[in-house]
Structures are given as C-alpha cells and as structure tokens.
Amino acid sequence: MKKILFLFLLIFYFSFCENYYVSPSGDDKNPGTKEKPFRTIQKAAGIVNPGDTIFILPGEYDEKVDILRSGEKDKYIKFKGEGNREEIKVKGF
C-alpha cells in the first residue's frame, strides 16, 4: 500500500512540472514547446515555476537574464543545454 501511495505522489508531483524550450530562431509569442520555442531565455525565466526545466537550444543569446523566481526544496528550476552544448553562447547571464 505504501508503494502505491508513493507511486501516486510521484506521478502527481511530476505532472505539474513543465518543460520550456528556447532557440535563437524561436519567438517569444510561441508557447515554448520544442516545436515552437521561445526566442529569449528571459521569456522562459519569467514564467517558470518550481520544478520546471528550461532547455536552451544551440545558438547565441545576447541578453541579460534576470531570474525572478526561485525553486523549492526538491523542486528546482533547471536550465539545461540541449543538443551540442558547446554551441550555446550566452552573454550577460
């Protein structure tokens, strides 16, 4: 019974975590999905909540990013490089 409850809580926890994508070829009017990414890291940083992940696609980002929210214990906000991480260049982060 404890295992079932744990599994339910784990699924419940992860069902509220969002993934957002950012690409130099994106648009901040997009929903931030992999197919329709945001253009700026700031756009994604402005809407994330604890537990969310921002995937930064290869390219050059010439912007200053202000992180407006923080995560919580066991619900970190993550910024991750996607693809060839050596091709991701961020100025002003």
Side-chain angles (χ1 to χ4, degrees):
M1 186 64 169
K2 287 183 182 181
K3 288 182 181 180
I4 293 172
L5 180 59
F6 175 75
L7 183 60
F8 174 75
L9 290 174
L10 190 64
I11 292 169
F12 182 77
Y13 168 80
F14 283 107
S15 66
F16 290 103
C17 297
E18 296 285 338
N19 292 327
Y20 297 102
Y21 291 82
V22 181
S23 170
S25 62
D27 188 324
D28 282 348
K29 294 177 185 171
N30 286 344
T33 62
K34 191 167 190 172
E35 296 78 24
K36 292 186 176 186
F38 294 132
R39 164 68 183 95
T40 63
I41 300 169
Q42 184 61 59
K43 172 65 178 179
I47 65 168
V48 293
N49 291 302
D52 292 350
T53 303
I54 298 171
F55 291 97
I56 303 169
L57 300 171
E60 192 166 316
Y61 301 87
D62 188 11
E63 62 180 292
K64 181 180 182 299
V65 179
D66 292 317
I67 301 172
L68 307 173
R69 296 188 177 126
S70 62
E72 298 172 357
K73 183 179 181 187
D74 299 325
K75 290 183 87 177
Y76 303 106
I77 295 173
K78 298 168 283 301
F79 291 80
K80 294 185 173 185
E82 178 84 357
N84 186 351
R85 295 177 189 162
E86 293 176 3
E87 294 180 6
I88 300 172
K89 295 180 176 113
V90 181
K91 301 176 184 177
F93 198 87

